């Protein structure tokens, strides 16, 4: 499957740059209130939801009150803790805590769906899920199936988007009479000149060896949470891709020549931003969500300083490419032992009513948002005060409309809006996504991915900084495969072949 075809499929699956936070309520999940004991309006039972952690009190939030008013269902909300959330979830499930539905991460869903803790939803969806089935794509539903049965409502996010780009000091580039680099070689020459003439760090960075905006010029088709690509009818992991070694060799060259931060291996993200905005560094990889901070900080330290966004550079084949985030962000599941399965599904489907869902996402028109030229804009400060937590209450999204609704959130600040829209315009028609974007959680990957990702990140930093010689790369790959990499690759390819039948 070529890149464009893959992305056409993945575009149906809503995703995100962004950006719900995972973890738990100050008091932790309540242990005393069994679902169904309290009756809501019209004799509807009180439902109980287990949410991911966030820094607000959901029960008193205006969005919760809105949903209760519009649906007639009273929902009691608990949150997982900010630390050890998975361990707490396992304990709750072992105790058969009576939740009626839960918002789960992909890894949490993978474990619970294969352990027998979740209710198959196919019959419930056929009876009560007409809204859900209308607005969620088949590709997304397939991502929530295990052995042919649907175990969750798949919740995408804000649409196909990219989240990062290289930004640089345009005033310095103009001062040196240099042109914006469009290729890897041009970038190298610009960095050398900046180091010689300005005496600053050419590229700042910290702990992240995956600089996709540079790596893509080698044909490295990976990025944040994008670990797999399709090549010649097989699924390839970046560790086992020859372009990875080429990219690491180039980064090591930059390090040895003083063209990237000598403290790359220890810098925290806030340190990298401080170096850039205080005039110690020329360039760094910025998320569009950093835009307000970096422009505000630079204006204080150097009012005449100017930041520019570097368009994605062309690779050796003369084409540019950029990673886009994708896939299912959350899985909304019903525990096997819930006593309110029918009512839970009725409620989850009612939330996807066109007007109710729009209100969940945006609030009330004229109070929380306005529409200008077909675009949604937040009304501040009311939106922030009352509707900032709207996404935490989502339990599925209208995959066609939500990306447009969500963009209201990036229009809360002019810098954030400009950077977000510029990143997307620069990445138009060149986005690639993870080859497993439409796959359901694969147990062999879920149990190994975090450990092996950390192993790769730590080792790659050592290669970049010269702490370990790149000549040992093949031996590293052997060990990585022995530690679970081979199991992941086999499982990924087994799914890929079965999905083609």
């Amino acid at each position: 499957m070529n890149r464009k075809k893959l992305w056409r499929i993945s575009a149906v699956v809503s995703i995100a740059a962004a950006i719900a936070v995972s973890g738990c309520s100050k008091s932790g999940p309540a242990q005393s209130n069994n679902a169904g004991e309290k009756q809501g309006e019209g004799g509807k039972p009180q439902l109980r939801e287990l949410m991911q952690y966030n820094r607000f009190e959901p029960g008193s939030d205006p969005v919760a009150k809105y949903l209760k008013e519009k649906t007639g269902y009273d929902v009691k909300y608990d949150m997982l803790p900010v630390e050890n959330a998975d361990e707490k979830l396992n304990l709750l499930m072992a105790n058969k805590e009576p939740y009626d539905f839960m918002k789960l991460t992909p890894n949490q869903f993978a474990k619970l769906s294969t352990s027998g803790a979740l209710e198959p939803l196919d019959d419930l969806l056929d009876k009560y899920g007409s809204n859900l089935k209308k607005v969620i794509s088949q590709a997304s539903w397939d991502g929530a199936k295990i052995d042919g049965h649907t175990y969750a409502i798949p919740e995408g996010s804000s649409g196909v988007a990219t989240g990062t780009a290289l930004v640089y000091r345009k005033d310095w580039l103009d001062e040196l009479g240099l042109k914006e680099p469009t290729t890897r070689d041009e970038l190298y020459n610009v960095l050398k000149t900046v180091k010689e003439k300005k005496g600053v760090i050419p590229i700042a960075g910290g702990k992240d060896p995956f600089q996709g905006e540079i790596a893509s010029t080698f044909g490295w088709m990976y990025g944040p949470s994008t670990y797999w690509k399709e090549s010649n009818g097989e699924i390839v992991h970046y560790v086992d891709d020859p372009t990875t070694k080429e990219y690491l060799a180039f980064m090591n060259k930059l390090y040895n020549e003083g063209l990237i931060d000598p403290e790359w291996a220890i810098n925290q993200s806030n340190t990298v931003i401080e170096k850039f905005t205080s005039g110690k560094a020329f360039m760094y990889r910025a998320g569009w969500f950093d835009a307000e901070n970096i422009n505000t900080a630079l204006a204080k330290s150097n009012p005449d300083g100017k930041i520019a966004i570097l368009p994605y550079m062309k690779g050796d084949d003369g084409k540019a490419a950029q990673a886009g985030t994708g896939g299912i962000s959350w899985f909304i599941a019903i525990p096997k032992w819930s006593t309110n399965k029918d009512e839970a599904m009725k409620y989850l489907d009612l939330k996807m009513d066109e007007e109710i869902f729009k209100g969940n996402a945006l609030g009330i028109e004229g109070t929380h948002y306005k529409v200008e030229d077909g675009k949604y804009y937040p009304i501040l400060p009311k939106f922030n005060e009352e509707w900032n937590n709207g996404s935490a209450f989502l339990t599925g999204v209208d995959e066609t409309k939500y990306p447009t609704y969500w963009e209201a959130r990036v229009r809360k600040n002019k810098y954030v809006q400009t950077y977000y829209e510029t990143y997307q315009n620069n990445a138009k028609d060149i986005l690639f996504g993870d080859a497993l974007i439409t796959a359901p959680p694969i147990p062999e990957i879920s149990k190994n991915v975090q450990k092996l990702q950390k192993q790769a990140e730590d080792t790659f930093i050592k290669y970049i900084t010269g702490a370990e010689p790149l000549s040992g790369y093949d031996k590293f790959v052997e060990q990585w495969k022995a530690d679970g990499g081979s199991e992941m690759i086999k499982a990924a390819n087994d799914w890929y072949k079965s999905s083609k039948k």
Side-chain angles (χ1 to χ4, degrees), residues 5-26:
K5 187 174 180 183
L6 169 64
W7 204 246
R8 281 198 298 270
I9 293 174
S10 66
V12 184
V13 187
S14 287
I15 43 170
I19 304 199
V21 190
S22 146
C24 187
S25 155
K26 304 178 193 100

Side-chain angles (χ1 to χ4, degrees), residues 100-332:
D100 293 303
F101 57 100
M102 308 179 292
K103 189 163 186 169
L104 304 173
T105 67
N107 281 344
Q108 290 167 351
F109 172 67
K111 292 175 182 177
L112 294 184
S113 61
T114 55
S115 70
L118 304 181
E119 177 74 10
L121 302 183
D122 302 276
D123 290 343
L124 290 169
L125 285 164
D126 287 342
K127 289 180 182 178
Y128 310 116
S130 58
N131 288 325
L132 286 160
K133 293 171 81 171
K134 181 171 65 176
V135 300
I136 297 175
S137 68
Q138 187 59 49
S140 293
W141 287 117
D142 289 344
K145 287 182 182 291
I146 305 292
D147 296 329
H149 297 287
T150 306
Y151 283 91
I153 296 165
E155 182 188 319
S157 189
S158 57
V160 177
T162 190
T164 60
L166 292 171
V167 300
Y168 66 91
R169 288 289 298 274
K170 187 177 187 305
D171 51 322
W172 291 355
L173 195 77
D174 293 344
E175 173 192 331
L176 297 174
L178 299 173
K179 292 183 178 180
E180 192 173 61
T182 62
T183 66
R184 184 174 67 250
D185 288 343
E186 290 178 4
L187 175 68
Y188 173 76
N189 290 329
V190 165
L191 298 179
K192 281 191 69 174
T193 303
V194 166
K195 177 177 170 57
E196 293 168 3
K197 304 294 186 182
K198 297 294 294 183
V200 298
I201 300 167
I203 299 185
K207 292 190 174 181
D208 178 12
F210 306 104
Q211 301 289 301
E213 288 75 13
I214 297 174
S216 63
T217 65
F218 290 95
W220 196 80
M221 307 295 284
Y222 310 94
S225 303
T226 304
Y227 307 148
W228 306 87
K229 79 172 184 181
E230 185 274 335
S231 178
N232 299 320
E234 293 188 349
I235 301 297
V236 178
H237 190 278
Y238 71 82
V239 163
D240 205 27
D241 189 324
T243 60
T244 301
K245 192 173 180 180
E246 294 178 46
Y247 158 69
L248 291 171
F250 179 73
M251 291 295 286
N252 177 248
K253 175 183 176 181
L254 296 185
Y255 183 86
N256 289 335
E257 295 183 17
L259 302 182
I260 64 176
D261 195 335
E263 297 180 331
W264 195 286
I266 61 172
N267 284 337
Q268 300 291 343
S269 58
N270 61 324
T271 305
V272 178
I273 291 175
E274 189 279 330
K275 288 184 177 184
F276 179 72
T277 57
S278 65
K280 297 175 184 175
F282 167 69
M283 178 180 285
Y284 95 107
R285 183 192 200 195
W288 52 259
F289 36 83
D290 291 335
E292 180 180 11
N293 289 339
I294 62 176
N295 280 275
T296 301
L298 182 62
K300 289 180 180 178
S301 66
N302 186 346
D304 296 324
K306 294 180 181 179
I307 301 173
I309 300 165
L310 185 68
Y312 303 110
M313 295 181 290
K314 297 176 182 177
D316 296 333
D317 60 358
K319 299 176 182 178
Q322 173 64 5
T325 52
I328 300 167
S329 301
W330 307 102
F331 292 84
I332 316 306

Side-chain angles (χ1 to χ4, degrees), residues 331-448:
F331 292 84
I332 316 306
I334 295 177
K336 195 79 173 175
W337 49 85
S338 167
T339 58
N340 295 308
K341 297 184 181 75
D342 287 35
E343 294 296 332
M345 183 57 73
K346 289 178 184 178
Y347 171 67
L348 294 170
D349 188 71
L350 188 55
K351 287 178 69 182
M352 299 309 297
D353 169 83
E354 185 175 353
E355 289 305 313
I356 294 175
F357 175 75
K358 186 175 185 179
N360 186 165
L362 286 167
I364 309 303
E365 184 171 2
T367 300
H368 302 106
Y369 75 92
K370 59 185 177 180
V371 184
E372 295 179 359
D373 299 324
K375 295 181 179 181
Y376 296 90
Y377 288 82
I379 296 175
L380 302 177
K382 201 71 170 176
F383 184 93
N384 284 342
E385 292 170 352
E386 296 186 347
W387 234 256
N388 213 35
N389 300 313
S391 59
F393 289 92
L394 295 175
T395 47
V397 298
D398 183 325
E399 295 182 358
T400 301
K401 296 178 179 177
Y402 184 58
T404 304
Y405 296 162
W406 178 84
E407 286 181 355
R409 294 177 175 269
V410 302
R411 298 188 180 110
K412 291 191 287 185
N413 175 271
K414 65 177 183 179
Y415 292 118
V416 173
Q417 178 182 348
T418 297
Y419 276 51
Y420 175 81
E421 293 177 351
T422 301
Y423 285 16
Q424 308 323 312
N425 288 335
N426 288 347
K428 188 177 180 181
D429 298 327
I430 65 168
L431 282 176
F432 60 83
D434 193 283
L436 302 187
I437 195 170
T438 60
I442 300 172
E444 294 85 351
I445 294 177
S446 298
K447 73 178 183 180
N448 287 309

Side-chain angles (χ1 to χ4, degrees), residues 26-86:
K26 304 178 193 100
S27 58
Q31 303 295 319
S32 58
N33 181 28
N34 289 338
E37 289 183 349
K38 182 178 178 181
Q39 295 296 311
E41 297 177 12
K44 295 177 180 178
Q46 182 189 59
L47 300 176
R48 192 173 173 200
E49 176 183 1
L50 181 63
M51 306 173 75
Q52 296 291 320
Y53 174 76
N54 217 322
R55 295 179 179 178
F56 71 100
E57 184 55 51
S60 59
D61 193 89
V63 182
K65 295 177 181 178
Y66 165 85
L67 290 171
K68 180 179 179 180
E69 175 189 339
K70 294 296 182 181
T71 67
Y73 281 91
D74 180 31
V75 179
K76 182 184 187 321
Y77 301 96
D78 290 338
M79 287 184 179
L80 286 169
V82 65
E83 296 180 354
N84 302 316
D86 290 353

